[in-house]
């Protein structure tokens, strides 16, 4: 029994449960990849340690007198 790639793709698209799940996984992965590339290019992941130390710096938010 020889099964071609076209038959497998047709079966995935034709079956409502498995085909919908496969397309949902593909679209979700593609959207996550786009957001990850955006985060890398916009510098969102440059300095992950800075924000947790910024909360200890009260000079900008509070004045003593």
């Amino acid at each position: 029994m020889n099964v071609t790639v076209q038959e497998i793709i047709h079966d995935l698209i034709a079956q409502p449960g498995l085909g919908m799940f496969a397309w949902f996984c593909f679209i979700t992965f593609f959207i996550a990849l786009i957001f990850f590339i955006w985060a890398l290019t916009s510098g969102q992941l440059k300095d992950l340690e800075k924000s947790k130390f910024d909360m200890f710096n009260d000079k900008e938010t509070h004045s003593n007198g």
Side-chain angles (χ1 to χ4, degrees):
M1 180 173 159
N2 294 335
V3 180
T4 64
V5 175
Q6 289 84 7
E7 291 174 347
I8 294 172
I9 293 173
H10 179 267
D11 288 344
L12 283 175
I13 295 171
Q15 292 178 355
L18 187 58
M20 290 283 289
F21 179 71
W23 281 111
F24 177 75
C25 289
F26 175 75
I27 291 170
T28 304
F29 175 76
F30 187 69
I31 291 171
L33 184 65
I34 289 172
F35 277 114
F36 181 70
I37 291 171
W38 168 80
L40 285 177
T41 57
S42 66
Q44 299 291 324
L45 303 175
K46 290 277 186 201
D47 192 9
L48 297 176
E49 300 293 322
K50 184 180 183 295
S51 62
K52 70 179 177 183
F53 293 117
D54 281 345
M55 69 179 171
F56 295 120
N57 190 5
D58 288 340
K59 293 178 184 172
E60 293 91 21
T61 58
H62 294 62
S63 63
N64 291 334

